[in-house]
Amino acid sequence: RFRPLSNTPLWFAYRSRIMHHDCTGNGCDFMLTPPEIAERLRVPASWVYQHQVDLPIFHLGRYLRCVCGELILFIKARETCK
């Protein structure tokens, strides 16, 4: 997958597309990295690594990934528990 160099206009457009894609629930199969998960949850990336057992995260080789739709369902389930 193409990733432009950081700190270029193309990078900011790419990052904006990743972080703000329109995901409405379990139909979204966009995979997120731990820093992207952390940004969506508004926590540090280290928190994501520490709580990977509690989150809907899976290992892709040695890398952690999360399907966006599953993360949204996880968040909605936690909201309804309160």
Side-chain angles (χ1 to χ4, degrees):
R1 181 165 125 173
F2 171 73
R3 285 192 168 223
L5 296 174
S6 60
N7 297 328
T8 64
L10 187 57
W11 167 254
F12 290 111
Y14 175 78
R15 184 173 179 275
S16 176
R17 182 184 64 82
I18 287 176
M19 295 313 299
H20 304 292
H21 71 281
D22 53 347
C23 187
T24 57
N26 60 357
C28 181
D29 60 351
F30 199 83
M31 288 198 320
L32 303 171
T33 64
E36 293 165 348
I37 297 165
E39 189 167 337
R40 288 176 184 271
L41 297 176
R42 298 181 190 255
V43 297
S46 61
W47 186 93
V48 173
Y49 286 104
Q50 291 170 353
H51 293 87
Q52 62 182 295
V53 175
D54 303 323
L55 297 169
I57 292 178
F58 63 93
H59 287 269
L60 187 62
R62 66 180 199 168
Y63 302 105
L64 293 178
R65 293 293 182 265
C66 178
V67 176
C68 185
E70 291 181 18
L71 183 63
I72 289 174
L73 291 175
F74 173 80
I75 293 169
K76 286 181 181 179
R78 301 287 284 212
E79 288 176 351
T80 59
C81 289
K82 292 183 178 181

